Amino acid sequence: MARNPQVIVAGAGPVGLLTALALAKQDVSVLVLETEPGLTVDLRAGTYHPPSLEMMAPYGITADMLKTAIKVPRWQIRDRKEGVIVDWDVSLIKDLTPFPYRLHLEQHRLTPIIYAKLGECPNAEVRFSHEVTDFVQGAGIVTVTAQTPAGIEKFEAQWLVGADGGRSTVRKVMGVGFEGYTWPERFLVASTHYDYEPHGFRLNTYVADPVDWNAMFKMPGDGPPGLWRILFPVAPEEDEAAALSEENIERLMQGFQPKAGRYAIQYKSIYKVHQRVASDFRVGRALLAGDAAHLNNPIGAFGLNGGIHDAINLAGKLGKVCRGESDDRLLDLYVRQRRTVNLEYVQEFSIKNLRRLTARTAEERRRSFDELRQAASTVEGARNFLLVSSMIASVQRAEAIT
Ligand SMILES: Cc1cc2nc3c(=O)[nH]c(=O)nc-3n(C[C@H](O)[C@H](O)[C@H](O)COP(=O)(O)OP(=O)(O)OC[C@H]3O[C@@H](n4cnc5c(N)ncnc54)[C@H](O)[C@@H]3O)c2cc1C
């Protein structure tokens, strides 16, 4: 791999790796610089929507995911007291996608799949323990500074993609704003082998309640019987260590689904949730994708999926620019398409989804549940709901922007 690739990607998360792979497959040389000494393995996203699976399929990623992932053809919205409000059947849109389901696979099982495919590309390289700290733009060139095990090093490329996550250094050096807000509640995730399916829960279920709302996802874990991830809100004033204590998690789990004996907890973590979109995704030769460009709450699983859609959209256009088939105005189209749908769909509906779960008054809950039941009562209404919740509508909207 040359020291002067055509594109440098900051960040070997799923979005950076996928961008790099999609570029390398177009004969564009690419260097990925990653701060950490290896791929990260912490608990993060894990639900994939049909368009993401379609976009990753040509690279063989989706086929590899399907070997261990869990298909979720039906998912639920419930109320803690009323029970099931709507049971959505994704197969209602099977005429629109070859993957008419949500697919569950931990993010840290996706990244090794993409990384292995990237390893087969002679024109791609990933360097771990290389933290991008700065960059400057010149005529036709970006010079990237990185902190490496050998000290400060400089790398040159024609283009820089910042896929370096929510705290993106690339975004900060670009000088673009990151407008939005942080939710006052934090989210606590606990995983257990306990099986909730016999209690009537779908493998992906959202449970509304003014105080004790939840989201649940069955993940493959290390194999059968799989691992259920239950998400709980943590009040702003609550101490983090107290929230994560064994006693508190046992109390939350028993409060959600009482059972004999204590819950065995495999993983637990707590994190802050934001709604933010960068004021621009491009400054000259530097571009943003994934969490570096936008953040949202996880209700609806739009974050990583939106990042995957960024990666494929951006790599397609950047590949054409690198090969001289298009001028760089094509990259402004990437920004118009992806930034617009992030605002119109990802932000709009992730906020709506969370508000629906947490609606405080009986009147608000009634209105929200009536709206859902109304949508589910006809095939057309259900299909329209599924088009948005499966992100097909956002991809169609992006394609319509010229
Ligand atoms: C703690 C946490 C929990 C989450 N939980 C959920 C969830 O339950 N459900 C859900 O749908 N989504 C969740 N998300 C969101 C989801 O994981 C992200 O949308 C997804 O990780 C975005 O991928 P990415 O590649 O854009 O960014 P990331 O996965 O954050 O990858 C960015 C990469 O860049 C590297 N990096 C950072 N700075 C630099 C630098 N200066 N130089 C080089 N490399 C750098 C990082 O080490 C990292 O490997 C969670 C996110 C976090 C942070």
Side-chain angles (χ1 to χ4, degrees), residues 10-16 33-36 40 42-45 107 130-132 163-166 169 229 231 271 289-292 298 301 303-304:
V15 175
L33 301 176
E34 164 61 46
T35 301
E36 298 296 326
T40 56
D42 53 350
L43 264 199
R44 295 195 182 185
Q107 182 174 318
H130 279 57
E131 180 186 2
V132 172
D164 48 346
T169 299
R229 242 189 225 187
L231 195 148
Y271 60 95
D291 274 19
L304 174 54

PDB file of all heavy atoms in Angstrom, residues 10-16 33-36 40 42-45 107 130-132 163-166 169 229 231 271 289-292 298 301 303-304, ligand 1:
ATOM      1  N   ALA A  10     -10.663   8.282   8.270  1.00  0.00           N
ATOM      2  CA  ALA A  10     -10.395   8.311   9.715  1.00  0.00           C
ATOM      3  C   ALA A  10     -11.461   7.480  10.398  1.00  0.00           C
ATOM      4  O   ALA A  10     -12.649   7.795  10.296  1.00  0.00           O
ATOM      5  CB  ALA A  10     -10.421   9.750  10.226  1.00  0.00           C
ATOM      6  N   GLY A  11     -11.046   6.389  11.073  1.00  0.00           N
ATOM      7  CA  GLY A  11     -11.994   5.582  11.833  1.00  0.00           C
ATOM      8  C   GLY A  11     -12.289   4.236  11.197  1.00  0.00           C
ATOM      9  O   GLY A  11     -12.758   4.171  10.065  1.00  0.00           O
ATOM     10  N   ALA A  12     -11.989   3.167  11.937  1.00  0.00           N
ATOM     11  CA  ALA A  12     -12.288   1.801  11.461  1.00  0.00           C
ATOM     12  C   ALA A  12     -13.506   1.244  12.183  1.00  0.00           C
ATOM     13  O   ALA A  12     -13.526   0.093  12.617  1.00  0.00           O
ATOM     14  CB  ALA A  12     -11.076   0.893  11.651  1.00  0.00           C
ATOM     15  N   GLY A  13     -14.530   2.077  12.338  1.00  0.00           N
ATOM     16  CA  GLY A  13     -15.839   1.580  12.773  1.00  0.00           C
ATOM     17  C   GLY A  13     -16.536   1.008  11.551  1.00  0.00           C
ATOM     18  O   GLY A  13     -15.951   0.947  10.456  1.00  0.00           O
ATOM     19  N   PRO A  14     -17.780   0.594  11.702  1.00  0.00           N
ATOM     20  CA  PRO A  14     -18.474  -0.004  10.554  1.00  0.00           C
ATOM     21  C   PRO A  14     -18.564   0.939   9.353  1.00  0.00           C
ATOM     22  O   PRO A  14     -18.441   0.493   8.209  1.00  0.00           O
ATOM     23  CB  PRO A  14     -19.875  -0.328  11.109  1.00  0.00           C
ATOM     24  CG  PRO A  14     -19.981   0.384  12.412  1.00  0.00           C
ATOM     25  CD  PRO A  14     -18.606   0.596  12.921  1.00  0.00           C
ATOM     26  N   VAL A  15     -18.768   2.235   9.612  1.00  0.00           N
ATOM     27  CA  VAL A  15     -18.949   3.176   8.498  1.00  0.00           C
ATOM     28  C   VAL A  15     -17.629   3.424   7.768  1.00  0.00           C
ATOM     29  O   VAL A  15     -17.569   3.399   6.532  1.00  0.00           O
ATOM     30  CB  VAL A  15     -19.584   4.494   9.012  1.00  0.00           C
ATOM     31  CG1 VAL A  15     -19.660   5.535   7.900  1.00  0.00           C
ATOM     32  CG2 VAL A  15     -20.973   4.210   9.589  1.00  0.00           C
ATOM     33  N   GLY A  16     -16.548   3.610   8.522  1.00  0.00           N
ATOM     34  CA  GLY A  16     -15.246   3.830   7.897  1.00  0.00           C
ATOM     35  C   GLY A  16     -14.796   2.616   7.101  1.00  0.00           C
ATOM     36  O   GLY A  16     -14.324   2.731   5.960  1.00  0.00           O
ATOM     37  N   LEU A  33      -7.130   5.015   9.023  1.00  0.00           N
ATOM     38  CA  LEU A  33      -6.364   5.267  10.248  1.00  0.00           C
ATOM     39  C   LEU A  33      -7.305   5.147  11.436  1.00  0.00           C
ATOM     40  O   LEU A  33      -8.367   5.788  11.461  1.00  0.00           O
ATOM     41  CB  LEU A  33      -5.746   6.673  10.204  1.00  0.00           C
ATOM     42  CG  LEU A  33      -4.807   6.944   9.026  1.00  0.00           C
ATOM     43  CD1 LEU A  33      -4.335   8.401   9.039  1.00  0.00           C
ATOM     44  CD2 LEU A  33      -3.604   5.999   9.044  1.00  0.00           C
ATOM     45  N   GLU A  34      -6.947   4.333  12.404  1.00  0.00           N
ATOM     46  CA  GLU A  34      -7.833   4.056  13.551  1.00  0.00           C
ATOM     47  C   GLU A  34      -7.064   4.255  14.859  1.00  0.00           C
ATOM     48  O   GLU A  34      -5.980   3.696  15.034  1.00  0.00           O
ATOM     49  CB  GLU A  34      -8.377   2.621  13.440  1.00  0.00           C
ATOM     50  CG  GLU A  34      -8.986   2.037  14.699  1.00  0.00           C
ATOM     51  CD  GLU A  34     -10.199   2.785  15.254  1.00  0.00           C
ATOM     52  OE1 GLU A  34     -11.110   3.129  14.477  1.00  0.00           O
ATOM     53  OE2 GLU A  34     -10.229   3.033  16.480  1.00  0.00           O
ATOM     54  N   THR A  35      -7.650   5.011  15.770  1.00  0.00           N
ATOM     55  CA  THR A  35      -7.013   5.295  17.057  1.00  0.00           C
ATOM     56  C   THR A  35      -6.724   4.042  17.875  1.00  0.00           C
ATOM     57  O   THR A  35      -5.637   3.877  18.442  1.00  0.00           O
ATOM     58  CB  THR A  35      -7.958   6.175  17.923  1.00  0.00           C
ATOM     59  OG1 THR A  35      -8.222   7.373  17.227  1.00  0.00           O
ATOM     60  CG2 THR A  35      -7.351   6.472  19.271  1.00  0.00           C
ATOM     61  N   GLU A  36      -7.734   3.167  17.950  1.00  0.00           N
ATOM     62  CA  GLU A  36      -7.629   2.010  18.849  1.00  0.00           C
ATOM     63  C   GLU A  36      -6.626   0.991  18.293  1.00  0.00           C
ATOM     64  O   GLU A  36      -6.387   0.943  17.089  1.00  0.00           O
ATOM     65  CB  GLU A  36      -9.003   1.336  19.007  1.00  0.00           C
ATOM     66  CG  GLU A  36     -10.058   2.223  19.634  1.00  0.00           C
ATOM     67  CD  GLU A  36      -9.726   2.619  21.068  1.00  0.00           C
ATOM     68  OE1 GLU A  36      -9.126   1.801  21.786  1.00  0.00           O
ATOM     69  OE2 GLU A  36     -10.051   3.764  21.455  1.00  0.00           O
ATOM     70  N   THR A  40     -13.128  -2.208  17.744  1.00  0.00           N
ATOM     71  CA  THR A  40     -13.774  -2.085  19.057  1.00  0.00           C
ATOM     72  C   THR A  40     -14.823  -3.187  19.230  1.00  0.00           C
ATOM     73  O   THR A  40     -15.431  -3.645  18.266  1.00  0.00           O
ATOM     74  CB  THR A  40     -14.432  -0.693  19.246  1.00  0.00           C
ATOM     75  OG1 THR A  40     -15.347  -0.494  18.189  1.00  0.00           O
ATOM     76  CG2 THR A  40     -13.417   0.415  19.259  1.00  0.00           C
ATOM     77  N   ASP A  42     -17.177  -3.096  22.066  1.00  0.00           N
ATOM     78  CA  ASP A  42     -18.213  -2.775  23.056  1.00  0.00           C
ATOM     79  C   ASP A  42     -19.619  -2.917  22.466  1.00  0.00           C
ATOM     80  O   ASP A  42     -19.803  -2.979  21.259  1.00  0.00           O
ATOM     81  CB  ASP A  42     -17.991  -1.390  23.692  1.00  0.00           C
ATOM     82  CG  ASP A  42     -17.842  -0.295  22.657  1.00  0.00           C
ATOM     83  OD1 ASP A  42     -17.714  -0.629  21.470  1.00  0.00           O
ATOM     84  OD2 ASP A  42     -17.863   0.889  23.031  1.00  0.00           O
ATOM     85  N   LEU A  43     -20.611  -2.984  23.375  1.00  0.00           N
ATOM     86  CA  LEU A  43     -22.007  -3.195  22.971  1.00  0.00           C
ATOM     87  C   LEU A  43     -22.562  -1.949  22.330  1.00  0.00           C
ATOM     88  O   LEU A  43     -22.659  -0.917  22.968  1.00  0.00           O
ATOM     89  CB  LEU A  43     -22.842  -3.463  24.220  1.00  0.00           C
ATOM     90  CG  LEU A  43     -23.142  -4.873  24.628  1.00  0.00           C
ATOM     91  CD1 LEU A  43     -24.321  -4.882  25.574  1.00  0.00           C
ATOM     92  CD2 LEU A  43     -23.428  -5.764  23.449  1.00  0.00           C
ATOM     93  N   ARG A  44     -22.952  -2.022  21.080  1.00  0.00           N
ATOM     94  CA  ARG A  44     -23.544  -0.855  20.429  1.00  0.00           C
ATOM     95  C   ARG A  44     -24.742  -1.289  19.595  1.00  0.00           C
ATOM     96  O   ARG A  44     -25.568  -2.033  20.079  1.00  0.00           O
ATOM     97  CB  ARG A  44     -22.496  -0.139  19.586  1.00  0.00           C
ATOM     98  CG  ARG A  44     -21.385   0.434  20.445  1.00  0.00           C
ATOM     99  CD  ARG A  44     -20.585   1.416  19.683  1.00  0.00           C
ATOM    100  NE  ARG A  44     -19.489   1.948  20.484  1.00  0.00           N
ATOM    101  CZ  ARG A  44     -18.698   2.897  20.060  1.00  0.00           C
ATOM    102  NH1 ARG A  44     -18.844   3.403  18.861  1.00  0.00           N
ATOM    103  NH2 ARG A  44     -17.736   3.333  20.830  1.00  0.00           N
ATOM    104  N   ALA A  45     -24.795  -0.821  18.361  1.00  0.00           N
ATOM    105  CA  ALA A  45     -25.975  -1.119  17.544  1.00  0.00           C
ATOM    106  C   ALA A  45     -26.005  -2.607  17.168  1.00  0.00           C
ATOM    107  O   ALA A  45     -25.028  -3.338  17.368  1.00  0.00           O
ATOM    108  CB  ALA A  45     -25.943  -0.268  16.280  1.00  0.00           C
ATOM    109  N   GLN A 107     -22.911  -5.206  16.432  1.00  0.00           N
ATOM    110  CA  GLN A 107     -22.015  -4.381  15.600  1.00  0.00           C
ATOM    111  C   GLN A 107     -20.585  -4.930  15.625  1.00  0.00           C
ATOM    112  O   GLN A 107     -19.888  -4.921  14.621  1.00  0.00           O
ATOM    113  CB  GLN A 107     -22.064  -2.950  16.141  1.00  0.00           C
ATOM    114  CG  GLN A 107     -21.232  -1.963  15.382  1.00  0.00           C
ATOM    115  CD  GLN A 107     -21.453  -0.530  15.908  1.00  0.00           C
ATOM    116  OE1 GLN A 107     -22.569  -0.131  16.192  1.00  0.00           O
ATOM    117  NE2 GLN A 107     -20.396   0.219  16.035  1.00  0.00           N
ATOM    118  N   HIS A 130      -3.356   4.547  15.184  1.00  0.00           N
ATOM    119  CA  HIS A 130      -3.062   5.761  14.422  1.00  0.00           C
ATOM    120  C   HIS A 130      -4.219   6.737  14.616  1.00  0.00           C
ATOM    121  O   HIS A 130      -5.285   6.573  14.008  1.00  0.00           O
ATOM    122  CB  HIS A 130      -2.913   5.452  12.926  1.00  0.00           C
ATOM    123  CG  HIS A 130      -1.576   4.904  12.542  1.00  0.00           C
ATOM    124  ND1 HIS A 130      -1.048   3.766  13.102  1.00  0.00           N
ATOM    125  CD2 HIS A 130      -0.650   5.357  11.649  1.00  0.00           C
ATOM    126  CE1 HIS A 130       0.145   3.534  12.571  1.00  0.00           C
ATOM    127  NE2 HIS A 130       0.410   4.489  11.680  1.00  0.00           N
ATOM    128  N   GLU A 131      -4.010   7.709  15.481  1.00  0.00           N
ATOM    129  CA  GLU A 131      -5.077   8.657  15.786  1.00  0.00           C
ATOM    130  C   GLU A 131      -4.923   9.928  14.952  1.00  0.00           C
ATOM    131  O   GLU A 131      -3.897  10.623  15.038  1.00  0.00           O
ATOM    132  CB  GLU A 131      -5.038   9.033  17.277  1.00  0.00           C
ATOM    133  CG  GLU A 131      -6.138  10.015  17.629  1.00  0.00           C
ATOM    134  CD  GLU A 131      -6.055  10.532  19.054  1.00  0.00           C
ATOM    135  OE1 GLU A 131      -5.095  10.142  19.775  1.00  0.00           O
ATOM    136  OE2 GLU A 131      -6.916  11.328  19.432  1.00  0.00           O
ATOM    137  N   VAL A 132      -5.933  10.218  14.150  1.00  0.00           N
ATOM    138  CA  VAL A 132      -5.907  11.463  13.361  1.00  0.00           C
ATOM    139  C   VAL A 132      -6.048  12.631  14.325  1.00  0.00           C
ATOM    140  O   VAL A 132      -6.998  12.685  15.123  1.00  0.00           O
ATOM    141  CB  VAL A 132      -7.050  11.458  12.311  1.00  0.00           C
ATOM    142  CG1 VAL A 132      -7.157  12.826  11.626  1.00  0.00           C
ATOM    143  CG2 VAL A 132      -6.829  10.359  11.289  1.00  0.00           C
ATOM    144  N   ALA A 163     -14.880   9.321   9.389  1.00  0.00           N
ATOM    145  CA  ALA A 163     -15.867   8.351   9.896  1.00  0.00           C
ATOM    146  C   ALA A 163     -15.411   8.002  11.310  1.00  0.00           C
ATOM    147  O   ALA A 163     -15.373   6.848  11.715  1.00  0.00           O
ATOM    148  CB  ALA A 163     -15.917   7.115   9.000  1.00  0.00           C
ATOM    149  N   ASP A 164     -15.023   9.066  12.026  1.00  0.00           N
ATOM    150  CA  ASP A 164     -14.370   8.880  13.324  1.00  0.00           C
ATOM    151  C   ASP A 164     -15.327   9.111  14.490  1.00  0.00           C
ATOM    152  O   ASP A 164     -14.910   9.568  15.563  1.00  0.00           O
ATOM    153  CB  ASP A 164     -13.100   9.739  13.428  1.00  0.00           C
ATOM    154  CG  ASP A 164     -13.294  11.189  13.014  1.00  0.00           C
ATOM    155  OD1 ASP A 164     -14.327  11.504  12.401  1.00  0.00           O
ATOM    156  OD2 ASP A 164     -12.408  12.015  13.314  1.00  0.00           O
ATOM    157  N   GLY A 165     -16.605   8.778  14.290  1.00  0.00           N
ATOM    158  CA  GLY A 165     -17.547   8.702  15.401  1.00  0.00           C
ATOM    159  C   GLY A 165     -18.042  10.051  15.916  1.00  0.00           C
ATOM    160  O   GLY A 165     -17.700  11.112  15.395  1.00  0.00           O
ATOM    161  N   GLY A 166     -18.877   9.981  16.948  1.00  0.00           N
ATOM    162  CA  GLY A 166     -19.578  11.164  17.453  1.00  0.00           C
ATOM    163  C   GLY A 166     -18.674  12.303  17.897  1.00  0.00           C
ATOM    164  O   GLY A 166     -19.057  13.470  17.806  1.00  0.00           O
ATOM    165  N   THR A 169     -12.791  14.111  15.320  1.00  0.00           N
ATOM    166  CA  THR A 169     -11.733  15.123  15.201  1.00  0.00           C
ATOM    167  C   THR A 169     -11.814  15.792  13.829  1.00  0.00           C
ATOM    168  O   THR A 169     -11.619  16.994  13.697  1.00  0.00           O
ATOM    169  CB  THR A 169     -10.349  14.450  15.373  1.00  0.00           C
ATOM    170  OG1 THR A 169     -10.308  13.882  16.670  1.00  0.00           O
ATOM    171  CG2 THR A 169      -9.205  15.430  15.202  1.00  0.00           C
ATOM    172  N   ARG A 229     -31.112  -8.268  24.926  1.00  0.00           N
ATOM    173  CA  ARG A 229     -30.643  -6.966  25.379  1.00  0.00           C
ATOM    174  C   ARG A 229     -31.855  -6.145  25.800  1.00  0.00           C
ATOM    175  O   ARG A 229     -32.757  -5.942  24.986  1.00  0.00           O
ATOM    176  CB  ARG A 229     -30.059  -6.233  24.177  1.00  0.00           C
ATOM    177  CG  ARG A 229     -28.629  -5.913  24.289  1.00  0.00           C
ATOM    178  CD  ARG A 229     -28.333  -5.020  23.114  1.00  0.00           C
ATOM    179  NE  ARG A 229     -27.118  -5.443  22.512  1.00  0.00           N
ATOM    180  CZ  ARG A 229     -26.524  -4.772  21.545  1.00  0.00           C
ATOM    181  NH1 ARG A 229     -27.077  -3.686  21.048  1.00  0.00           N
ATOM    182  NH2 ARG A 229     -25.393  -5.184  21.069  1.00  0.00           N
ATOM    183  N   LEU A 231     -33.177  -2.496  27.259  1.00  0.00           N
ATOM    184  CA  LEU A 231     -32.751  -1.113  27.432  1.00  0.00           C
ATOM    185  C   LEU A 231     -33.704  -0.402  28.400  1.00  0.00           C
ATOM    186  O   LEU A 231     -34.920  -0.523  28.266  1.00  0.00           O
ATOM    187  CB  LEU A 231     -32.811  -0.462  26.058  1.00  0.00           C
ATOM    188  CG  LEU A 231     -32.107   0.858  25.837  1.00  0.00           C
ATOM    189  CD1 LEU A 231     -31.621   0.906  24.406  1.00  0.00           C
ATOM    190  CD2 LEU A 231     -33.058   1.996  26.080  1.00  0.00           C
ATOM    191  N   TYR A 271     -25.095   4.752  28.524  1.00  0.00           N
ATOM    192  CA  TYR A 271     -24.552   5.759  27.596  1.00  0.00           C
ATOM    193  C   TYR A 271     -25.496   6.929  27.414  1.00  0.00           C
ATOM    194  O   TYR A 271     -26.698   6.819  27.675  1.00  0.00           O
ATOM    195  CB  TYR A 271     -24.158   5.128  26.256  1.00  0.00           C
ATOM    196  CG  TYR A 271     -25.271   4.456  25.480  1.00  0.00           C
ATOM    197  CD1 TYR A 271     -25.964   5.149  24.496  1.00  0.00           C
ATOM    198  CD2 TYR A 271     -25.601   3.129  25.712  1.00  0.00           C
ATOM    199  CE1 TYR A 271     -26.973   4.528  23.766  1.00  0.00           C
ATOM    200  CE2 TYR A 271     -26.610   2.502  24.986  1.00  0.00           C
ATOM    201  CZ  TYR A 271     -27.287   3.200  24.027  1.00  0.00           C
ATOM    202  OH  TYR A 271     -28.280   2.586  23.309  1.00  0.00           O
ATOM    203  N   ALA A 289     -19.110  11.129   7.432  1.00  0.00           N
ATOM    204  CA  ALA A 289     -20.088  10.042   7.270  1.00  0.00           C
ATOM    205  C   ALA A 289     -20.320   9.379   8.626  1.00  0.00           C
ATOM    206  O   ALA A 289     -19.449   9.381   9.500  1.00  0.00           O
ATOM    207  CB  ALA A 289     -19.582   9.006   6.260  1.00  0.00           C
ATOM    208  N   GLY A 290     -21.498   8.787   8.788  1.00  0.00           N
ATOM    209  CA  GLY A 290     -21.803   8.041  10.010  1.00  0.00           C
ATOM    210  C   GLY A 290     -21.969   8.948  11.214  1.00  0.00           C
ATOM    211  O   GLY A 290     -22.390  10.108  11.101  1.00  0.00           O
ATOM    212  N   ASP A 291     -21.626   8.407  12.394  1.00  0.00           N
ATOM    213  CA  ASP A 291     -21.812   9.168  13.637  1.00  0.00           C
ATOM    214  C   ASP A 291     -21.037  10.487  13.632  1.00  0.00           C
ATOM    215  O   ASP A 291     -21.404  11.413  14.356  1.00  0.00           O
ATOM    216  CB  ASP A 291     -21.346   8.334  14.843  1.00  0.00           C
ATOM    217  CG  ASP A 291     -22.440   7.410  15.366  1.00  0.00           C
ATOM    218  OD1 ASP A 291     -23.394   7.144  14.614  1.00  0.00           O
ATOM    219  OD2 ASP A 291     -22.335   6.947  16.519  1.00  0.00           O
ATOM    220  N   ALA A 292     -19.981  10.587  12.873  1.00  0.00           N
ATOM    221  CA  ALA A 292     -19.239  11.857  12.782  1.00  0.00           C
ATOM    222  C   ALA A 292     -20.133  12.952  12.213  1.00  0.00           C
ATOM    223  O   ALA A 292     -19.968  14.133  12.516  1.00  0.00           O
ATOM    224  CB  ALA A 292     -17.995  11.678  11.907  1.00  0.00           C
ATOM    225  N   PRO A 298     -31.379   5.527  19.838  1.00  0.00           N
ATOM    226  CA  PRO A 298     -31.428   4.228  19.133  1.00  0.00           C
ATOM    227  C   PRO A 298     -32.833   3.659  18.906  1.00  0.00           C
ATOM    228  O   PRO A 298     -32.943   2.568  18.344  1.00  0.00           O
ATOM    229  CB  PRO A 298     -30.628   3.315  20.055  1.00  0.00           C
ATOM    230  CG  PRO A 298     -30.800   3.890  21.408  1.00  0.00           C
ATOM    231  CD  PRO A 298     -30.902   5.376  21.227  1.00  0.00           C
ATOM    232  N   ALA A 301     -33.533   2.146  15.515  1.00  0.00           N
ATOM    233  CA  ALA A 301     -32.286   1.633  14.917  1.00  0.00           C
ATOM    234  C   ALA A 301     -31.921   2.342  13.612  1.00  0.00           C
ATOM    235  O   ALA A 301     -31.673   1.707  12.595  1.00  0.00           O
ATOM    236  CB  ALA A 301     -32.393   0.117  14.700  1.00  0.00           C
ATOM    237  N   GLY A 303     -29.393   4.842  13.500  1.00  0.00           N
ATOM    238  CA  GLY A 303     -28.051   5.435  13.541  1.00  0.00           C
ATOM    239  C   GLY A 303     -27.053   4.721  12.650  1.00  0.00           C
ATOM    240  O   GLY A 303     -26.558   5.279  11.667  1.00  0.00           O
ATOM    241  N   LEU A 304     -26.757   3.485  12.987  1.00  0.00           N
ATOM    242  CA  LEU A 304     -25.772   2.746  12.197  1.00  0.00           C
ATOM    243  C   LEU A 304     -26.296   2.529  10.775  1.00  0.00           C
ATOM    244  O   LEU A 304     -25.540   2.630   9.802  1.00  0.00           O
ATOM    245  CB  LEU A 304     -25.447   1.412  12.874  1.00  0.00           C
ATOM    246  CG  LEU A 304     -24.539   0.473  12.086  1.00  0.00           C
ATOM    247  CD1 LEU A 304     -23.237   1.159  11.674  1.00  0.00           C
ATOM    248  CD2 LEU A 304     -24.240  -0.787  12.880  1.00  0.00           C
TER     249      LEU A 304
HETATM  250  C1  LIG B   1     -21.806   3.623  23.573  1.00  0.00           C
HETATM  251  C2  LIG B   1     -22.674   3.511  22.367  1.00  0.00           C
HETATM  252  C3  LIG B   1     -23.794   2.703  22.393  1.00  0.00           C
HETATM  253  C4  LIG B   1     -24.620   2.614  21.287  1.00  0.00           C
HETATM  254  N1  LIG B   1     -25.705   1.814  21.340  1.00  0.00           N
HETATM  255  C5  LIG B   1     -26.529   1.736  20.281  1.00  0.00           C
HETATM  256  C6  LIG B   1     -27.670   0.929  20.306  1.00  0.00           C
HETATM  257  O1  LIG B   1     -27.985   0.292  21.317  1.00  0.00           O
HETATM  258  N2  LIG B   1     -28.450   0.878  19.195  1.00  0.00           N
HETATM  259  C7  LIG B   1     -28.155   1.608  18.065  1.00  0.00           C
HETATM  260  O2  LIG B   1     -28.894   1.527  17.070  1.00  0.00           O
HETATM  261  N3  LIG B   1     -27.063   2.366  18.006  1.00  0.00           N
HETATM  262  C8  LIG B   1     -26.246   2.458  19.086  1.00  0.00           C
HETATM  263  N4  LIG B   1     -25.164   3.232  19.036  1.00  0.00           N
HETATM  264  C9  LIG B   1     -24.876   3.960  17.794  1.00  0.00           C
HETATM  265  C10 LIG B   1     -24.120   3.094  16.791  1.00  0.00           C
HETATM  266  O3  LIG B   1     -23.269   2.209  17.451  1.00  0.00           O
HETATM  267  C11 LIG B   1     -23.388   4.033  15.849  1.00  0.00           C
HETATM  268  O4  LIG B   1     -24.376   4.651  15.032  1.00  0.00           O
HETATM  269  C12 LIG B   1     -22.330   3.351  15.005  1.00  0.00           C
HETATM  270  O5  LIG B   1     -21.284   2.886  15.811  1.00  0.00           O
HETATM  271  C13 LIG B   1     -21.790   4.344  13.978  1.00  0.00           C
HETATM  272  O6  LIG B   1     -20.670   3.816  13.332  1.00  0.00           O
HETATM  273  P1  LIG B   1     -19.456   4.745  12.908  1.00  0.00           P
HETATM  274  O7  LIG B   1     -18.540   3.859  12.163  1.00  0.00           O
HETATM  275  O8  LIG B   1     -19.974   5.977  12.272  1.00  0.00           O
HETATM  276  O9  LIG B   1     -18.812   5.246  14.262  1.00  0.00           O
HETATM  277  P2  LIG B   1     -18.063   4.398  15.393  1.00  0.00           P
HETATM  278  O10 LIG B   1     -18.616   3.029  15.477  1.00  0.00           O
HETATM  279  O11 LIG B   1     -18.074   5.259  16.610  1.00  0.00           O
HETATM  280  O12 LIG B   1     -16.587   4.261  14.838  1.00  0.00           O
HETATM  281  C14 LIG B   1     -15.701   5.359  14.840  1.00  0.00           C
HETATM  282  C15 LIG B   1     -14.292   4.812  14.874  1.00  0.00           C
HETATM  283  O13 LIG B   1     -13.399   5.904  14.745  1.00  0.00           O
HETATM  284  C16 LIG B   1     -12.344   5.755  15.681  1.00  0.00           C
HETATM  285  N5  LIG B   1     -11.811   7.095  15.939  1.00  0.00           N
HETATM  286  C17 LIG B   1     -12.332   8.062  16.703  1.00  0.00           C
HETATM  287  N6  LIG B   1     -11.574   9.162  16.652  1.00  0.00           N
HETATM  288  C18 LIG B   1     -10.544   8.882  15.806  1.00  0.00           C
HETATM  289  C19 LIG B   1      -9.435   9.627  15.329  1.00  0.00           C
HETATM  290  N7  LIG B   1      -9.242  10.897  15.731  1.00  0.00           N
HETATM  291  N8  LIG B   1      -8.573   9.039  14.475  1.00  0.00           N
HETATM  292  C20 LIG B   1      -8.768   7.755  14.056  1.00  0.00           C
HETATM  293  N9  LIG B   1      -9.804   6.994  14.502  1.00  0.00           N
HETATM  294  C21 LIG B   1     -10.689   7.553  15.344  1.00  0.00           C
HETATM  295  C22 LIG B   1     -13.010   5.097  16.870  1.00  0.00           C
HETATM  296  O14 LIG B   1     -12.057   4.440  17.692  1.00  0.00           O
HETATM  297  C23 LIG B   1     -13.962   4.125  16.183  1.00  0.00           C
HETATM  298  O15 LIG B   1     -13.354   2.888  15.920  1.00  0.00           O
HETATM  299  C24 LIG B   1     -24.318   3.351  20.132  1.00  0.00           C
HETATM  300  C25 LIG B   1     -23.176   4.157  20.099  1.00  0.00           C
HETATM  301  C26 LIG B   1     -22.364   4.259  21.194  1.00  0.00           C
HETATM  302  C27 LIG B   1     -21.155   5.152  21.135  1.00  0.00           C
END
